[in-house]
Amino acid sequence: MSYIDKIITAIERKDAGQPEFLQASKEVLQSLRIIADSDSTYEKAGLLERLIEPERMIVFRVPWVDDCGKVMVNRGFRVQYNSAIGPYKGGIRFHPSVNASIIKFLGFEQTFKNALTGLPMGGGKGGCDFDPKGKSDGEVMRFCQSFMTELFRHIGPDTDVPAGDIGVGAREVGFMYGQYKRIMNNFTGVLTGKGIGWGGSLGRAEATGYGLIYIIEEYLDKIGDGFKGKNVVISGSGNVSIYAAQKAMALGSTVVSMSDSNGYIYHKSGINLDTIKDIKFVNRERLTKYAEIHKDAIYTEANSKPGSSRVWDIPCDIALPCATQNELFIEDAKKLVQNGCKIVGEGANMPATLDATEYLINGGVAFFPGKAANAGGVSVSGLEMTQNSTRLSWTSEEVDAKLKTIMKGIFNSINSASEEYGVAGVTRNFVIGANIAGFKKVAKAMLDQGVI
Ligand code: NDP
Ligand code: 2IT
């Protein structure tokens, strides 16, 4: 049995109850066949066995009191996946679906993503099955304080630096940071995504969405094309979706659709982003509201089942899944190709299923995997860490220029790795490119540092 097959067999046995983790790790392992099966160095060093196993996984109780005085208990997680190239770094997700499998797949992906940025950051991820939706600010604050009262002992500016993700934005980062500072009695850069004026970096809120557009822009530029005149469909209407839409529009394209977990809007003449920001950031409302305000927009209820009404049914040139994992299925991929979509960029982590990804790539779509395409967020988090440790702050223009350079660098490394290791008959396989380019960097650091 080949080295890769041995590892796949082992994880299928050991992690049988973790479907998202198996999905993410198998995709990476399949990409690595071309290098890991032909070079015995890796097997001798137990490199893949070590890479696949988190350095540490912390699970903890989060008790808090709701507005009625009832005690609630949630389950918190932090996975410290890999510290070969820097302190653990990665976001925190608050969503009822959070479990060990989801946190592990996210931490695993983060390790390669962070390597691709070229910045010294290892991989980590955290979260809780807490649902901030419908909670008062007081409830969210008490929950965040309780979460940090346990997490603080495991993190630090040179150990592990969390940030936001689904359900964790400026408000939640603020509450968690306040509690960390209070417990530790020091003001350090232990979280990123902090408020401007108390250690946050300009451009961090926009970074993931902007970075997604920059990497696609770089590709379009290489093929003599651009965003101008393109129709773009975006799923989600949170942090990543909103700023991806903002930059895509600024470059001359029309964003015709956005969604949330209940449905999607189709606004043929172009989404009004000020309305979306008001609905989502200010009033924390649902997208149904959008169609009440803009009468020429159509709202369609949708569920997550393939075959039901889907945001991916809308014809577009570029599709940007920016909501969550496994939100773009093979049926959706077929619809996109049939409707002439040429580019898919993953703003979310693992939004496309394995068969959908394969179908898109084989169908000639330029497919940008999340670990490359959404790396702009963690990149500016890395820049926030640098600003915090030097006690300087850069202007928006400085941060934006650095983000552009990083995204160009990521495009170049996944593009050259896809050329070097690409599968015959497939023009560009950025999935293989990203997995191999990220792996090589982490593997070299692990080999250099001995058996740890
Ligand atoms: P937000 O919480 O700001 O927004 C999430 C959006 O996705 C909301 O519109 C939400 O709709 C929708 N969504 C969430 N879960 C589901 C679900 N199960 N089914 C359908 N829709 C869903 O999160 P972000 O924008 O920060 O994150 C979005 C994605 O991007 C995630 O995959 C995250 O891991 C990834 N990412 C985020 C980065 C960041 O810097 N924030 C960096 C890199 C990647 P609803 O309101 O109905 O729940
Ligand atoms: O998935 C991700 O890259 C993030 N949620 C951002 C992580 C970070 O540390 O900024």
Side-chain angles (χ1 to χ4, degrees):
M1 201 189 271
S2 78
Y3 184 32
I4 295 285
D5 285 325
K6 281 185 215 161
I7 304 293
I8 292 181
T9 308
I11 56 170
E12 278 177 341
R13 184 176 50 80
K14 279 208 249 185
D15 300 308
Q18 302 192 333
E20 294 84 3
F21 171 67
L22 288 176
Q23 182 182 338
S25 51
K26 278 187 193 171
E27 183 212 273
V28 171
L29 288 166
Q30 296 292 6
S31 302
L32 297 180
R33 276 188 195 284
I34 198 159
I35 47 177
D37 279 345
S38 56
D39 181 348
S40 61
T41 321
Y42 297 116
E43 183 160 13
K44 191 153 176 261
L47 203 277
L48 294 178
E49 291 86 334
R50 288 192 277 146
L51 188 65
I52 211 91
E53 193 67 29
E55 289 176 24
R56 200 169 295 106
M57 177 94 175
I58 302 144
V59 185
F60 51 97
R61 178 170 71 206
V62 189
W64 56 283
V65 182
D66 76 6
D67 285 347
C68 304
K70 164 116 184 52
V71 175
M72 311 295 281
V73 178
N74 287 98
R75 183 172 293 170
F77 299 89
R78 185 75 186 165
V79 64
Q80 298 183 330
Y81 223 105
N82 191 300
S83 60
I85 61 173
Y88 311 107
K89 178 84 195 87
I92 290 188
R93 175 178 294 191
F94 293 159
H95 193 271
S97 62
V98 164
N99 58 31
S101 171
I102 288 180
I103 295 300
K104 263 178 77 182
F105 111 69
L106 289 164
F108 183 72
E109 290 276 298
Q110 197 82 43
T111 301
F112 300 94
K113 183 194 304 188
N114 293 1
L116 286 171
T117 68
L119 301 175
M121 300 181 290
K125 197 83 191 189
C128 191
D129 59 359
F130 171 78
D131 189 357
K133 273 198 210 99
K135 304 286 189 303
S136 69
D137 284 350
E139 288 176 323
V140 171
M141 181 183 75
R142 291 193 295 281
F143 165 80
C144 287
Q145 290 177 339
S146 179
F147 185 85
M148 186 50 84
T149 302
E150 178 59 34
L151 187 67
F152 86 94
R153 70 189 81 247
H154 305 291
I155 61 176
D158 295 313
T159 307
D160 183 355
V161 184
D165 193 82
I166 292 178
V168 178
R171 176 181 63 171
E172 291 75 16
V173 168
F175 292 151
M176 287 193 276
Y177 189 78
Q179 184 73 350
Y180 180 85
K181 180 171 63 82
R182 181 185 187 196
I183 296 171
M184 298 297 287
N185 195 29
N186 67 28
F187 197 108
T188 56
V190 72
L191 292 175
T192 58
K194 298 186 290 299
I196 309 302
W198 51 274
S201 175
L202 288 164
R204 173 61 187 91
E206 295 85 352
T208 312
Y210 280 19
L212 171 64
I213 302 303
Y214 290 156
I215 197 168
I216 295 174
E217 192 186 20
E218 183 62 18
Y219 161 75
L220 284 169
D221 190 55
K222 287 269 181 329
I223 60 165
D225 203 345
F227 268 92
K228 207 169 171 25
K230 300 275 189 298
N231 271 347
V232 181
V233 162
I234 300 181
S235 65
S237 44
N239 171 273
V240 179
S241 315
I242 286 177
Y243 291 110
Q246 183 160 303
K247 185 54 77 178
M249 288 175 189
L251 294 177
S253 63
T254 307
V255 175
V256 293
S257 184
M258 292 179 86
S259 67
D260 63 21
S261 54
N262 298 113
Y264 61 88
I265 39 167
Y266 176 40
H267 201 167
K268 201 171 177 202
S269 56
I271 296 278
N272 182 315
L273 215 49
D274 288 335
T275 309
I276 297 275
K277 285 183 184 172
D278 250 20
I279 293 174
K280 289 291 161 179
F281 290 158
V282 183
N283 302 318
R284 298 183 189 274
E285 289 172 320
R286 311 303 298 158
L287 269 189
T288 40
K289 186 86 190 179
Y290 187 94
E292 289 168 22
I293 298 169
H294 298 279
K295 301 289 181 208
D296 54 336
I298 303 163
Y299 176 82
T300 307
E301 255 184 48
N303 62 41
S304 56
K305 290 199 183 62
S308 61
S309 184
R310 312 277 294 151
V311 68
W312 313 119
D313 295 345
I314 297 168
C316 64
D317 304 298
I318 301 175
L320 305 176
C322 295
T324 190
Q325 66 279 350
N326 293 333
E327 52 154 326
L328 195 161
F329 302 100
I330 183 138
E331 293 79 359
D332 304 319
K334 286 181 182 165
K335 204 54 177 267
L336 286 169
V337 170
Q338 192 188 321
N339 286 338
C341 174
K342 292 283 180 291
I343 298 175
V344 173
E346 292 191 317
N349 287 304
M350 205 171 72
T353 58
L354 287 175
D355 54 358
T357 303
E358 207 173 304
Y359 187 90
L360 290 167
I361 295 173
N362 292 335
V365 171
F367 180 88
F368 291 86
K371 56 174 81 66
N374 70 39
V378 75
S379 298
V380 174
S381 278
L383 301 179
E384 183 170 326
M385 289 165 73
T386 307
Q387 293 170 81
N388 290 163
S389 38
T390 56
R391 297 180 192 277
L392 292 170
S393 41
W394 297 327
T395 62
S396 305
E397 292 73 22
E398 285 173 303
V399 173
D400 195 51
K402 289 184 202 308
L403 171 62
K404 268 193 184 145
T405 307
I406 292 170
M407 296 313 296
K408 264 187 190 189
I410 297 176
F411 176 79
N412 288 334
S413 46
I414 67 169
N415 193 34
S416 5
S418 77
E419 272 169 18
E420 193 177 346
Y421 300 101
V423 183
V426 174
T427 38
R428 318 165 206 98
N429 191 326
F430 296 135
V431 171
I432 288 188
N435 288 338
I436 293 187
F439 168 78
K440 279 187 153 180
K441 189 162 177 208
V442 179
K444 163 104 179 54
M446 288 175 73
L447 292 171
D448 288 350
Q449 291 171 29
V451 180
I452 50 169

